[in-house]
Amino acid sequence: LKELFRKQIFELRNNGIFKRMIRWELSNDNAFVKKLRNQREENGLKRIEMISEITKIPCEELASLSSIITGSICYLIMAGETCRYYNGIDITDDNGWEQLIREINKIIDLTYR
């Protein structure tokens, strides 16, 4: 789970197409975007089920935690395009993201001891 979020952060920060797709999805509601959302949702649910089988953590819990963390990651990455700092953390810098990753890992550790 920790590695999944780390990879998500890396991909989103380093892939301009991903960022444009997220921005486009958030600002449109046409048939193509709906299809894209449905596909993302389907893939996400499969991933949650797979992780649940491995970790024995209920899907409902994983889905909630993943939604909170993924939503935060996406927001901060998008915000970083126009805003350098968020709560004093440089969200345009690798060190700032390493700090965030450490805290994401702590949240996961505390939740699933």
Side-chain angles (χ1 to χ4, degrees):
L1 196 55
K2 293 175 189 178
E3 187 60 26
L4 182 75
F5 292 124
R6 179 181 280 284
K7 285 181 180 179
Q8 180 184 33
I9 289 167
F10 178 82
E11 286 297 320
L12 286 173
R13 287 189 67 219
N14 295 294
N15 189 328
I17 293 171
F18 254 174
K19 284 190 258 189
R20 285 193 294 267
M21 282 180 56
I22 291 169
R23 189 178 307 106
W24 184 57
E25 180 183 345
L26 291 172
S27 62
N28 289 281
D29 195 33
N30 59 43
F32 184 77
V33 170
K34 288 178 183 178
K35 185 175 180 176
L36 182 67
R37 284 181 191 139
N38 288 339
Q39 185 64 49
R40 179 187 32 77
E41 184 69 10
E42 188 176 305
N43 291 341
L45 290 173
K46 286 178 186 174
R47 192 174 300 118
I48 297 256
E49 288 172 2
M50 185 177 65
I51 294 169
S52 176
E53 286 180 26
I54 293 167
T55 63
K56 306 302 182 211
I57 298 167
C59 285
E60 185 177 274
E61 285 181 30
L62 283 172
S64 297
L65 181 67
S66 294
S67 295
I68 292 165
I69 293 174
T70 298
S72 300
I73 289 168
C74 288
Y75 176 82
L76 291 172
I77 286 171
M78 303 312 266
E81 292 184 349
T82 57
C83 173
R84 183 166 184 168
Y85 293 97
Y86 194 90
N87 287 333
I89 299 167
D90 186 344
I91 56 175
T92 65
D93 182 72
D94 289 344
N95 291 328
W97 279 97
E98 285 301 321
Q99 178 183 347
L100 293 167
I101 289 167
R102 284 191 304 273
E103 297 311 313
I104 289 169
N105 290 344
K106 284 181 188 177
I107 290 168
I108 292 168
D109 289 342
L110 289 169
T111 302
Y112 299 113
R113 278 188 174 175

